[in-house]
Amino acid sequence: MVKLRLKRCGRKQRAVYRIVAIDGRSRREGRDLRKVGFYDPINNQTHLNVPAIIYFLAKGAQPTGTVHDISQKAGVFTEVSLNQTKFY
């Protein structure tokens, strides 16, 4: 199963995270399928590749709790629901 999760980068005491699509069985620092965003909790900055996130969610990827909250604040799930209503 593919998951959207955070991958830790940065230096000690100054963590930044990449939001990646990764196989659920892989470890946190494992090889990712695709980088779909960036999150800096210290400066509270996010950068999301929304079309890539929507693509993986449509294919059945499960976001972790933190990625779900970040995506929800960015309005990704409203775009997903809008895209789903267009197809029907």
Side-chain angles (χ1 to χ4, degrees):
M1 171 192 294
V2 176
K3 289 191 170 249
L4 297 175
R5 72 165 66 147
L6 296 175
K7 187 174 183 179
R8 192 177 195 278
C9 301
R11 61 178 196 239
K12 187 167 50 171
Q13 301 294 322
R14 187 80 172 102
V16 293
Y17 297 91
R18 287 186 184 142
I19 301 171
V20 296
I22 194 168
D23 183 21
R25 297 169 292 184
S26 297
R27 59 194 180 105
R28 181 185 70 184
E29 307 303 327
R31 185 170 173 226
D32 53 81
L33 301 172
R34 185 168 178 190
K35 296 175 185 84
V36 295
F38 174 81
Y39 174 58
D40 184 359
I42 296 171
N43 296 327
N44 201 17
Q45 295 177 338
T46 59
H47 172 71
L48 300 175
N49 184 352
V50 177
I53 293 173
I54 291 172
Y55 169 78
F56 281 109
L57 289 174
K59 295 290 183 181
Q62 296 293 315
T64 59
T66 307
V67 173
H68 182 272
D69 294 342
I70 292 168
S71 301
Q72 195 169 21
K73 286 180 186 175
V76 171
F77 294 110
T78 57
E79 292 186 29
V80 169
S81 63
L82 290 175
N83 285 343
Q84 287 178 350
T85 57
K86 289 179 185 177
F87 294 122
Y88 297 114

